[in-house]
Amino acid sequence: MTARIYQRPKNAMQSGKARTDEWVLEFEQSEARHADPLMGWTGSGDTQAQVSLTFPSKDEAKAYAEKYGVSARVHAPPPKSLKLQAYSDNFR
């Protein structure tokens, strides 16, 4: 089993930062998805891909993966940069 550990990004549709401090451990797919011939929905027999665990810190997520023998890759969050701009700069 392989998994990836990452920090949730800020929701682009809202200005709030709720749940952005959580770290998520998601299992990667072990088999390919296929289209259902009757309904056309995409699915697979892999149930681990549906599991998503949240942790308050990166170290706790890594400790969980090590405890249960899951090889996990950690994706670091991109650096945050602020563009400070005054309202009057729009009219220069």
Side-chain angles (χ1 to χ4, degrees):
M1 276 190 293
T2 59
R4 64 185 188 119
I5 299 172
Y6 64 94
Q7 193 171 19
R8 289 182 197 246
K10 187 176 102 45
N11 187 354
M13 301 300 292
Q14 298 175 346
S15 62
K17 295 182 180 180
R19 299 179 69 184
T20 58
D21 56 345
E22 294 179 344
W23 286 82
V24 180
L25 184 140
E26 284 184 349
F27 293 97
E28 295 179 357
Q29 292 183 355
S30 62
E31 68 179 56
R33 293 181 179 257
H34 58 279
D36 183 47
L38 179 63
M39 297 296 289
W41 295 345
T42 305
S44 72
D46 182 24
T47 57
Q48 286 291 337
Q50 301 172 5
V51 177
S52 175
L53 304 172
T54 58
F55 297 92
S57 70
K58 176 175 58 171
D59 296 329
E60 290 184 22
K62 287 168 55 175
Y64 177 87
E66 290 175 4
K67 179 180 178 182
Y68 290 101
V70 176
S71 60
R73 293 185 324 229
V74 178
H75 296 275
K80 296 177 183 176
S81 62
L82 295 176
K83 181 180 176 186
L84 299 177
Q85 181 177 342
Y87 178 72
S88 61
D89 292 343
N90 293 335
F91 303 103
R92 287 187 179 176

